[in-house]
Amino acid sequence: MSSQSPEPAQSERTPVVLTEADEQHAVLTFAGVLDAHALPELEELLSDRRLRQAGTWVWDMSGLERIGLACAYALLRAVTRAPETVSVTVSGARRTVQRTLRHAGLDTVVTIGE
């Protein structure tokens, strides 16, 4: 009887990755569930030097099923600690994800698109 299952490998995937980055823009791509278990990885990614150098951030949340409030607050902290010239756009977020982002106050510092 085999104890190996594809489920653990999928759940261990990072729900957010930096898919593009240069001096002008950076793209973070979100997928699956971003909850408290992913918080340390998220905070580490948000402090990435390449992200800090970009003037425009795009958060592609089209693959994100759910985000925990702690992770939404981590995103808020990243934006409020970024240089004032940074422009952040959220794209493709589901209604439930948008609701959590708004609950955390992100709608006051980022543009949430459809």
Side-chain angles (χ1 to χ4, degrees), residues 20-102:
E20 287 181 49
D22 61 31
E23 291 179 6
Q24 276 108 31
H25 75 284
V27 178
L28 292 175
T29 303
F30 296 75
V33 176
L34 189 61
D35 59 12
H37 292 95
L39 188 57
E41 289 177 66
L42 175 62
E43 289 178 330
E44 183 178 332
L45 179 63
L46 292 171
S47 66
D48 188 298
R49 176 187 52 80
R50 295 169 297 166
L51 185 63
R52 295 283 174 212
Q53 292 176 341
T56 303
W57 299 355
V58 176
W59 295 344
D60 178 1
M61 295 190 171
S62 57
L64 190 62
E65 297 170 21
R66 189 175 68 245
I67 184 171
L69 196 53
C71 291
Y73 281 124
L75 293 172
L76 178 64
R77 281 191 304 276
V79 173
T80 57
R81 292 179 181 162
E84 289 183 32
T85 57
V86 169
S87 168
V88 182
T89 302
V90 174
S91 68
R94 299 170 193 229
R95 280 187 162 175
T96 55
V97 171
Q98 288 182 24
R99 186 172 34 246
T100 304
L101 297 177
R102 286 187 174 100

